[in-house]
CSV table of all heavy atoms in Angstrom, one decimal:
chain,number,residue,atom,x,y,z
A,1,MET,N,201.9,-144.3,-35.7
A,1,MET,CA,202.4,-145.1,-36.8
A,1,MET,C,203.1,-144.1,-37.8
A,1,MET,O,202.6,-143.1,-38.2
A,1,MET,CB,201.3,-145.9,-37.5
A,1,MET,CG,201.9,-146.7,-38.7
A,1,MET,SD,200.6,-147.6,-39.6
A,1,MET,CE,200.4,-148.9,-38.4
A,2,LEU,N,204.3,-144.5,-38.3
A,2,LEU,CA,205.0,-143.7,-39.2
A,2,LEU,C,204.5,-143.9,-40.6
A,2,LEU,O,204.4,-145.1,-41.1
A,2,LEU,CB,206.5,-144.1,-39.1
A,2,LEU,CG,207.5,-143.4,-40.1
A,2,LEU,CD1,207.5,-141.9,-39.7
A,2,LEU,CD2,208.8,-144.0,-40.0
A,3,LYS,N,204.1,-142.9,-41.3
A,3,LYS,CA,203.7,-143.0,-42.7
A,3,LYS,C,204.8,-142.8,-43.6
A,3,LYS,O,205.5,-141.8,-43.6
A,3,LYS,CB,202.6,-141.9,-43.0
A,3,LYS,CG,202.0,-142.0,-44.4
A,3,LYS,CD,200.9,-141.1,-44.6
A,3,LYS,CE,200.6,-141.2,-46.1
A,3,LYS,NZ,199.3,-140.6,-46.5
A,4,ARG,N,205.0,-143.8,-44.5
A,4,ARG,CA,206.1,-143.7,-45.5
A,4,ARG,C,205.5,-143.2,-46.7
A,4,ARG,O,204.6,-143.7,-47.3
A,4,ARG,CB,206.7,-145.1,-45.7
A,4,ARG,CG,207.4,-145.7,-44.5
A,4,ARG,CD,208.0,-147.0,-44.9
A,4,ARG,NE,208.5,-147.7,-43.7
A,4,ARG,CZ,209.7,-147.5,-43.2
A,4,ARG,NH1,210.5,-146.6,-43.7
A,4,ARG,NH2,210.1,-148.1,-42.1
A,5,LYS,N,206.1,-142.1,-47.2
A,5,LYS,CA,205.6,-141.5,-48.4
A,5,LYS,C,206.3,-142.1,-49.6
A,5,LYS,O,207.5,-142.3,-49.6
A,5,LYS,CB,205.9,-140.0,-48.4
A,5,LYS,CG,205.1,-139.3,-47.3
A,5,LYS,CD,205.3,-137.8,-47.2
A,5,LYS,CE,204.5,-137.2,-46.0
A,5,LYS,NZ,204.7,-135.8,-45.9
A,6,LEU,N,205.6,-142.2,-50.7
A,6,LEU,CA,206.2,-142.8,-52.0
A,6,LEU,C,206.2,-141.6,-53.0
A,6,LEU,O,205.2,-140.8,-53.0
A,6,LEU,CB,205.4,-143.9,-52.5
A,6,LEU,CG,205.3,-145.2,-51.6
A,6,LEU,CD1,204.4,-146.2,-52.2
A,6,LEU,CD2,206.7,-145.8,-51.4
A,7,TYR,N,207.2,-141.6,-53.8
A,7,TYR,CA,207.3,-140.5,-54.8
A,7,TYR,C,207.6,-141.1,-56.2
A,7,TYR,O,208.3,-142.2,-56.3
A,7,TYR,CB,208.5,-139.6,-54.5
A,7,TYR,CG,208.2,-138.8,-53.2
A,7,TYR,CD1,208.6,-139.3,-52.0
A,7,TYR,CD2,207.6,-137.6,-53.3
A,7,TYR,CE1,208.4,-138.5,-50.8
A,7,TYR,CE2,207.3,-136.8,-52.1
A,7,TYR,CZ,207.8,-137.3,-50.9
A,7,TYR,OH,207.5,-136.6,-49.8
A,8,CYS,N,207.0,-140.6,-57.2
A,8,CYS,CA,207.3,-141.0,-58.6
A,8,CYS,C,208.7,-140.8,-58.9
A,8,CYS,O,209.3,-139.7,-58.7
A,8,CYS,CB,206.4,-140.3,-59.5
A,8,CYS,SG,206.7,-140.6,-61.3
A,9,SER,N,209.4,-141.8,-59.5
A,9,SER,CA,210.8,-141.7,-59.9
A,9,SER,C,211.0,-140.8,-61.0
A,9,SER,O,212.2,-140.3,-61.2
A,9,SER,CB,211.3,-143.1,-60.2
A,9,SER,OG,211.3,-144.0,-59.1
A,10,ASN,N,210.0,-140.5,-61.8
A,10,ASN,CA,210.2,-139.7,-63.0
A,10,ASN,C,209.9,-138.2,-62.7
A,10,ASN,O,210.7,-137.3,-62.9
A,10,ASN,CB,209.2,-140.2,-64.1
A,10,ASN,CG,209.5,-139.5,-65.4
A,10,ASN,OD1,210.6,-139.4,-65.9
A,10,ASN,ND2,208.5,-139.0,-66.1
A,11,CYS,N,208.7,-137.9,-62.1
A,11,CYS,CA,208.3,-136.5,-61.9
A,11,CYS,C,208.5,-136.1,-60.5
A,11,CYS,O,208.3,-134.9,-60.1
A,11,CYS,CB,206.9,-136.3,-62.4
A,11,CYS,SG,205.6,-137.1,-61.4
A,12,ASN,N,208.8,-137.0,-59.6
A,12,ASN,CA,209.1,-136.7,-58.2
A,12,ASN,C,207.9,-136.2,-57.4
A,12,ASN,O,208.0,-135.6,-56.4
A,12,ASN,CB,210.2,-135.7,-58.0
A,12,ASN,CG,211.0,-136.0,-56.7
A,12,ASN,OD1,211.0,-137.0,-56.2
A,12,ASN,ND2,211.5,-134.9,-56.1
A,13,ARG,N,206.7,-136.5,-57.9
A,13,ARG,CA,205.4,-136.1,-57.2
A,13,ARG,C,205.1,-137.2,-56.2
A,13,ARG,O,205.3,-138.3,-56.4
A,13,ARG,CB,204.3,-136.0,-58.3
A,13,ARG,CG,203.0,-135.5,-57.7
A,13,ARG,CD,201.9,-135.4,-58.8
A,13,ARG,NE,201.6,-136.7,-59.5
A,13,ARG,CZ,200.9,-137.7,-59.0
A,13,ARG,NH1,200.3,-137.6,-57.8
A,13,ARG,NH2,200.7,-138.7,-59.7
A,14,GLU,N,204.6,-136.7,-55.0
A,14,GLU,CA,204.2,-137.7,-54.0
A,14,GLU,C,202.9,-138.4,-54.5
A,14,GLU,O,202.0,-137.9,-55.0
A,14,GLU,CB,203.8,-136.9,-52.7
A,14,GLU,CG,203.4,-137.8,-51.6
A,14,GLU,CD,203.1,-137.1,-50.3
A,14,GLU,OE1,203.4,-135.9,-50.2
A,14,GLU,OE2,202.5,-137.8,-49.4
A,15,VAL,N,203.0,-139.7,-54.3
A,15,VAL,CA,201.9,-140.6,-54.7
A,15,VAL,C,200.8,-140.6,-53.6
A,15,VAL,O,201.2,-140.7,-52.4
A,15,VAL,CB,202.4,-142.1,-54.9
A,15,VAL,CG1,201.2,-143.0,-55.1
A,15,VAL,CG2,203.4,-142.1,-56.0
A,16,GLN,N,199.6,-140.4,-53.9
A,16,GLN,CA,198.5,-140.2,-52.9
A,16,GLN,C,198.0,-141.6,-52.6
A,16,GLN,O,198.0,-142.6,-53.4
A,16,GLN,CB,197.4,-139.4,-53.5
A,16,GLN,CG,197.8,-138.0,-53.8
A,16,GLN,CD,198.4,-137.2,-52.7
A,16,GLN,OE1,197.8,-137.2,-51.6
A,16,GLN,NE2,199.6,-136.6,-52.9
A,17,ASP,N,197.4,-141.7,-51.4
A,17,ASP,CA,196.7,-143.0,-51.0
A,17,ASP,C,195.7,-143.4,-52.0
A,17,ASP,O,194.9,-142.6,-52.5
A,17,ASP,CB,196.1,-142.8,-49.6
A,17,ASP,CG,197.1,-142.6,-48.5
A,17,ASP,OD1,198.3,-143.0,-48.7
A,17,ASP,OD2,196.7,-142.2,-47.4
A,18,GLY,N,195.7,-144.7,-52.4
A,18,GLY,CA,194.7,-145.2,-53.3
A,18,GLY,C,195.0,-145.0,-54.8
A,18,GLY,O,194.3,-145.5,-55.6
A,19,GLU,N,196.0,-144.2,-55.1
A,19,GLU,CA,196.4,-143.9,-56.4
A,19,GLU,C,197.1,-145.1,-57.1
A,19,GLU,O,197.8,-145.9,-56.5
A,19,GLU,CB,197.4,-142.8,-56.5
A,19,GLU,CG,197.8,-142.3,-57.8
A,19,GLU,CD,198.7,-141.1,-57.8
A,19,GLU,OE1,198.9,-140.5,-56.7
A,19,GLU,OE2,199.3,-140.7,-58.8
A,20,GLU,N,196.8,-145.3,-58.4
A,20,GLU,CA,197.4,-146.4,-59.1
A,20,GLU,C,198.9,-146.1,-59.4
A,20,GLU,O,199.2,-145.0,-59.9
A,20,GLU,CB,196.7,-146.6,-60.4
A,20,GLU,CG,197.1,-147.8,-61.2
A,20,GLU,CD,196.3,-148.0,-62.4
A,20,GLU,OE1,195.0,-147.8,-62.4
A,20,GLU,OE2,196.8,-148.5,-63.5
A,21,ILE,N,199.8,-147.1,-59.1
A,21,ILE,CA,201.2,-146.9,-59.4
A,21,ILE,C,201.7,-148.1,-60.1
A,21,ILE,O,201.1,-149.1,-60.1
A,21,ILE,CB,202.0,-146.7,-58.1
A,21,ILE,CG1,202.0,-147.9,-57.2
A,21,ILE,CG2,201.6,-145.4,-57.4
A,21,ILE,CD1,203.0,-147.9,-56.1
A,22,TYR,N,202.9,-147.9,-60.7
A,22,TYR,CA,203.6,-149.0,-61.4
A,22,TYR,C,205.0,-149.0,-60.8
A,22,TYR,O,205.6,-148.0,-60.5
A,22,TYR,CB,203.7,-148.8,-62.9
A,22,TYR,CG,202.3,-148.7,-63.5
A,22,TYR,CD1,201.6,-147.5,-63.6
A,22,TYR,CD2,201.7,-149.9,-64.0
A,22,TYR,CE1,200.3,-147.5,-64.1
A,22,TYR,CE2,200.5,-149.8,-64.5
A,22,TYR,CZ,199.8,-148.7,-64.6
A,22,TYR,OH,198.5,-148.6,-65.1
A,23,ALA,N,205.5,-150.2,-60.5
A,23,ALA,CA,206.8,-150.4,-59.8
A,23,ALA,C,207.7,-151.3,-60.6
A,23,ALA,O,207.2,-152.4,-61.0
A,23,ALA,CB,206.6,-150.9,-58.4
A,24,LYS,N,208.9,-150.9,-60.9
A,24,LYS,CA,209.9,-151.7,-61.6
A,24,LYS,C,210.8,-152.2,-60.5
A,24,LYS,O,211.5,-151.4,-59.8
A,24,LYS,CB,210.7,-150.9,-62.6
A,24,LYS,CG,211.7,-151.6,-63.3
A,24,LYS,CD,212.4,-150.7,-64.3
A,24,LYS,CE,213.5,-151.5,-65.0
A,24,LYS,NZ,214.2,-150.6,-65.9
A,25,MET,N,210.8,-153.5,-60.3
A,25,MET,CA,211.6,-154.1,-59.2
A,25,MET,C,211.9,-155.5,-59.4
A,25,MET,O,211.3,-156.2,-60.3
A,25,MET,CB,210.9,-154.0,-57.9
A,25,MET,CG,209.5,-154.7,-57.9
A,25,MET,SD,208.5,-154.4,-56.4
A,25,MET,CE,208.6,-156.0,-55.6
A,26,LYS,N,212.9,-156.0,-58.7
A,26,LYS,CA,213.2,-157.5,-58.7
A,26,LYS,C,212.3,-158.2,-57.7
A,26,LYS,O,211.9,-157.6,-56.6
A,26,LYS,CB,214.7,-157.7,-58.3
A,26,LYS,CG,215.6,-157.2,-59.3
A,26,LYS,CD,217.1,-157.4,-58.9
A,26,LYS,CE,218.0,-156.9,-60.0
A,26,LYS,NZ,219.4,-157.2,-59.7
A,27,ALA,N,212.0,-159.4,-57.9
A,27,ALA,CA,211.2,-160.2,-57.0
A,27,ALA,C,211.9,-160.3,-55.7
A,27,ALA,O,213.1,-160.6,-55.7
A,27,ALA,CB,210.8,-161.5,-57.6
A,28,PRO,N,211.2,-160.2,-54.5
A,28,PRO,CA,211.9,-160.3,-53.2
A,28,PRO,C,212.3,-161.7,-53.0
A,28,PRO,O,211.6,-162.7,-53.3
A,28,PRO,CB,210.8,-159.8,-52.2
A,28,PRO,CG,209.5,-159.9,-53.0
A,28,PRO,CD,209.8,-159.8,-54.4
A,29,LYS,N,213.5,-161.9,-52.3
A,29,LYS,CA,214.0,-163.2,-51.9
A,29,LYS,C,213.2,-163.8,-50.8
A,29,LYS,O,213.0,-165.0,-50.7
A,29,LYS,CB,215.4,-163.1,-51.6
A,29,LYS,CG,216.3,-162.7,-52.7
A,29,LYS,CD,217.8,-162.6,-52.3
A,29,LYS,CE,218.6,-162.1,-53.4
A,29,LYS,NZ,220.0,-161.9,-53.0
A,30,HIS,N,212.7,-163.0,-49.9
A,30,HIS,CA,211.9,-163.4,-48.7
A,30,HIS,C,210.6,-162.7,-48.7
A,30,HIS,O,210.4,-161.8,-49.4
A,30,HIS,CB,212.7,-163.1,-47.4
A,30,HIS,CG,214.1,-163.6,-47.5
A,30,HIS,ND1,214.4,-164.9,-47.3
A,30,HIS,CD2,215.3,-163.0,-47.6
A,30,HIS,CE1,215.7,-165.1,-47.3
A,30,HIS,NE2,216.3,-163.9,-47.6
A,31,SER,N,209.7,-163.2,-47.9
A,31,SER,CA,208.4,-162.6,-47.8
A,31,SER,C,208.6,-161.1,-47.3
A,31,SER,O,209.5,-160.8,-46.5
A,31,SER,CB,207.5,-163.3,-46.9
A,31,SER,OG,208.0,-163.4,-45.6
A,32,VAL,N,207.7,-160.3,-47.7
A,32,VAL,CA,207.8,-158.9,-47.4
A,32,VAL,C,206.6,-158.5,-46.5
A,32,VAL,O,205.5,-158.7,-46.9
A,32,VAL,CB,207.8,-158.0,-48.7
A,32,VAL,CG1,207.8,-156.5,-48.3
A,32,VAL,CG2,209.0,-158.4,-49.6
A,33,VAL,N,206.9,-158.0,-45.3
A,33,VAL,CA,205.8,-157.6,-44.4
A,33,VAL,C,205.5,-156.2,-44.6
A,33,VAL,O,204.4,-155.8,-44.7
A,33,VAL,CB,206.3,-157.9,-43.0
A,33,VAL,CG1,205.2,-157.4,-42.0
A,33,VAL,CG2,206.5,-159.4,-42.8
A,34,GLU,N,206.5,-155.3,-44.6
A,34,GLU,CA,206.2,-153.9,-44.8
A,34,GLU,C,206.5,-153.5,-46.3
A,34,GLU,O,207.6,-153.2,-46.7
A,34,GLU,CB,207.2,-153.1,-43.9
A,34,GLU,CG,206.7,-151.7,-43.7
A,34,GLU,CD,207.5,-151.0,-42.6
A,34,GLU,OE1,208.2,-151.6,-41.8
A,34,GLU,OE2,207.5,-149.7,-42.7
A,35,ILE,N,205.4,-153.6,-47.0
A,35,ILE,CA,205.4,-153.4,-48.5
A,35,ILE,C,205.9,-152.0,-48.9
A,35,ILE,O,206.8,-151.9,-49.8
A,35,ILE,CB,204.1,-153.7,-49.1
A,35,ILE,CG1,203.8,-155.2,-48.9
A,35,ILE,CG2,204.1,-153.4,-50.6
A,35,ILE,CD1,202.4,-155.6,-49.3
A,36,LYS,N,205.4,-151.0,-48.3
A,36,LYS,CA,205.8,-149.6,-48.6
A,36,LYS,C,207.3,-149.4,-48.4
A,36,LYS,O,208.0,-148.8,-49.3
A,36,LYS,CB,205.0,-148.6,-47.9
A,36,LYS,CG,203.7,-148.3,-48.5
A,36,LYS,CD,203.0,-147.0,-47.9
A,36,LYS,CE,201.8,-146.6,-48.5
A,36,LYS,NZ,201.3,-145.4,-47.9
A,37,ALA,N,207.8,-149.9,-47.3
A,37,ALA,CA,209.3,-149.7,-47.1
A,37,ALA,C,210.1,-150.4,-48.2
A,37,ALA,O,211.1,-149.9,-48.6
A,37,ALA,CB,209.6,-150.2,-45.7
A,38,TYR,N,209.6,-151.7,-48.5
A,38,TYR,CA,210.3,-152.4,-49.6
A,38,TYR,C,210.3,-151.7,-50.9
A,38,TYR,O,211.3,-151.6,-51.6
A,38,TYR,CB,209.7,-153.8,-49.7
A,38,TYR,CG,210.5,-154.7,-50.7
A,38,TYR,CD1,211.7,-155.3,-50.3
A,38,TYR,CD2,210.1,-154.8,-52.0
A,38,TYR,CE1,212.4,-156.1,-51.2
A,38,TYR,CE2,210.8,-155.5,-52.9
A,38,TYR,CZ,211.9,-156.2,-52.5
A,38,TYR,OH,212.6,-156.9,-53.4
A,39,LEU,N,209.1,-151.2,-51.3
A,39,LEU,CA,209.0,-150.5,-52.5
A,39,LEU,C,209.9,-149.2,-52.6
A,39,LEU,O,210.5,-148.9,-53.6
A,39,LEU,CB,207.5,-150.0,-52.7
A,39,LEU,CG,206.5,-151.1,-53.2
A,39,LEU,CD1,205.1,-150.6,-53.1
A,39,LEU,CD2,206.9,-151.7,-54.5
A,40,LYS,N,209.9,-148.5,-51.5
A,40,LYS,CA,210.7,-147.3,-51.4
A,40,LYS,C,212.2,-147.6,-51.5
A,40,LYS,O,212.9,-146.9,-52.2
A,40,LYS,CB,210.4,-146.5,-50.1
A,40,LYS,CG,211.0,-145.2,-50.0
A,40,LYS,CD,210.5,-144.5,-48.8
A,40,LYS,CE,211.1,-143.1,-48.7
A,40,LYS,NZ,210.6,-142.3,-47.6
A,41,LYS,N,212.6,-148.7,-50.9
A,41,LYS,CA,214.1,-149.0,-50.9
A,41,LYS,C,214.5,-149.8,-52.2
A,41,LYS,O,215.6,-149.6,-52.6
A,41,LYS,CB,214.3,-149.9,-49.7
A,41,LYS,CG,215.8,-150.2,-49.5
A,41,LYS,CD,216.0,-151.0,-48.2
A,41,LYS,CE,217.4,-151.4,-48.1
A,41,LYS,NZ,217.6,-152.3,-46.9
A,42,GLU,N,213.7,-150.7,-52.7
A,42,GLU,CA,214.1,-151.6,-53.7
A,42,GLU,C,213.4,-151.5,-55.1
A,42,GLU,O,213.5,-152.4,-55.8
A,42,GLU,CB,213.8,-153.0,-53.2
A,42,GLU,CG,214.5,-153.4,-51.9
A,42,GLU,CD,216.0,-153.5,-52.0
A,42,GLU,OE1,216.5,-153.8,-53.1
A,42,GLU,OE2,216.7,-153.3,-51.0
A,43,SER,N,212.8,-150.4,-55.4
A,43,SER,CA,212.1,-150.3,-56.6
A,43,SER,C,212.1,-148.8,-57.2
A,43,SER,O,212.4,-147.9,-56.5
A,43,SER,CB,210.7,-150.8,-56.5
A,43,SER,OG,209.9,-149.9,-55.8
A,44,GLU,N,211.7,-148.8,-58.4
A,44,GLU,CA,211.4,-147.5,-59.1
A,44,GLU,C,209.9,-147.4,-59.2
A,44,GLU,O,209.3,-148.3,-59.7
A,44,GLU,CB,212.1,-147.4,-60.4
A,44,GLU,CG,213.5,-147.2,-60.5
A,44,GLU,CD,214.0,-147.0,-61.9
A,44,GLU,OE1,214.0,-145.9,-62.4
A,44,GLU,OE2,214.5,-148.0,-62.5
A,45,ILE,N,209.3,-146.4,-58.7
A,45,ILE,CA,207.9,-146.2,-58.7
A,45,ILE,C,207.5,-145.1,-59.7
A,45,ILE,O,208.2,-144.1,-59.8
A,45,ILE,CB,207.4,-145.8,-57.3
A,45,ILE,CG1,207.7,-146.9,-56.3
A,45,ILE,CG2,205.9,-145.5,-57.3
A,45,ILE,CD1,207.5,-146.5,-54.9
A,46,PHE,N,206.5,-145.4,-60.5
A,46,PHE,CA,206.0,-144.5,-61.5
A,46,PHE,C,204.5,-144.2,-61.3
A,46,PHE,O,203.7,-145.2,-61.1
A,46,PHE,CB,206.2,-145.0,-62.9
A,46,PHE,CG,207.7,-145.2,-63.2
A,46,PHE,CD1,208.3,-146.5,-63.0
A,46,PHE,CD2,208.5,-144.2,-63.6
A,46,PHE,CE1,209.6,-146.7,-63.3
A,46,PHE,CE2,209.8,-144.4,-63.8
A,46,PHE,CZ,210.4,-145.6,-63.7
A,47,CYS,N,204.1,-143.0,-61.3
A,47,CYS,CA,202.7,-142.6,-61.2
A,47,CYS,C,202.0,-143.1,-62.6
A,47,CYS,O,202.8,-143.3,-63.6
A,47,CYS,CB,202.4,-141.2,-60.9
A,47,CYS,SG,203.0,-140.0,-62.2
A,48,ALA,N,200.7,-143.2,-62.7
A,48,ALA,CA,200.0,-143.6,-63.9
A,48,ALA,C,200.3,-142.6,-65.0
A,48,ALA,O,200.5,-143.1,-66.2
A,48,ALA,CB,198.5,-143.7,-63.6
A,49,ASP,N,200.4,-141.3,-64.8
A,49,ASP,CA,200.6,-140.4,-65.8
A,49,ASP,C,202.0,-140.6,-66.5
A,49,ASP,O,202.1,-140.6,-67.7
A,49,ASP,CB,200.5,-138.9,-65.3
A,49,ASP,CG,199.1,-138.5,-64.9
A,49,ASP,OD1,198.2,-139.2,-65.4
A,49,ASP,OD2,199.0,-137.6,-64.1
A,50,CYS,N,203.0,-140.7,-65.7
A,50,CYS,CA,204.4,-140.9,-66.2
A,50,CYS,C,204.5,-142.3,-66.9
A,50,CYS,O,205.2,-142.4,-67.9
A,50,CYS,CB,205.4,-140.8,-65.1
A,50,CYS,SG,205.6,-139.1,-64.5
A,51,PHE,N,203.8,-143.3,-66.4
A,51,PHE,CA,203.9,-144.6,-67.0
A,51,PHE,C,203.2,-144.6,-68.4
A,51,PHE,O,203.7,-145.2,-69.3
A,51,PHE,CB,203.2,-145.6,-66.1
A,51,PHE,CG,203.3,-147.0,-66.6
A,51,PHE,CD1,204.4,-147.8,-66.5
A,51,PHE,CD2,202.2,-147.6,-67.2
A,51,PHE,CE1,204.5,-149.1,-66.9
A,51,PHE,CE2,202.3,-148.9,-67.7
A,51,PHE,CZ,203.4,-149.7,-67.6
A,52,ASP,N,202.1,-143.9,-68.5
A,52,ASP,CA,201.4,-143.8,-69.8
A,52,ASP,C,202.2,-143.0,-70.8
A,52,ASP,O,202.1,-143.4,-72.0
A,52,ASP,CB,200.0,-143.2,-69.5
A,52,ASP,CG,199.0,-144.1,-68.8
A,52,ASP,OD1,199.2,-145.3,-68.8
A,52,ASP,OD2,198.0,-143.5,-68.3
A,53,LYS,N,202.9,-142.0,-70.4
A,53,LYS,CA,203.7,-141.2,-71.3
A,53,LYS,C,204.9,-142.1,-71.8
A,53,LYS,O,205.3,-141.8,-72.9
A,53,LYS,CB,204.3,-140.0,-70.6
A,53,LYS,CG,203.3,-138.9,-70.3
A,53,LYS,CD,203.9,-137.8,-69.5
A,53,LYS,CE,202.9,-136.8,-69.0
A,53,LYS,NZ,203.5,-135.8,-68.2
A,54,GLY,N,205.4,-143.0,-71.0
A,54,GLY,CA,206.5,-143.9,-71.4
A,54,GLY,C,206.1,-145.0,-72.4
A,54,GLY,O,207.0,-145.6,-72.9
A,55,LYS,N,204.9,-145.2,-72.6
A,55,LYS,CA,204.4,-146.3,-73.5
A,55,LYS,C,204.6,-145.9,-75.0
A,55,LYS,O,204.6,-144.9,-75.4
A,55,LYS,CB,202.9,-146.6,-73.3
A,55,LYS,CG,202.7,-147.4,-72.0
A,55,LYS,CD,201.3,-147.8,-72.0
A,55,LYS,CE,201.0,-148.7,-70.8
A,55,LYS,NZ,199.7,-149.1,-70.7
C-alpha cells in the first residue's frame, strides 16, 4: 500500500501518524473515499504548533 505523506503548509514539517492537524478546505462535492489524498490535493494542512501560533 502506498503511504501518502502530509506536510504542514506553514513549516513544511511532515505530519506524523496520530498527530492532531487542522485543515482549511472547501467541503467536498462528492463522498471522499481516500481522505489523505483529498486532503493533500484540496486543502491547506497545519500542524497543531503552527495553528496555535496563528491564533
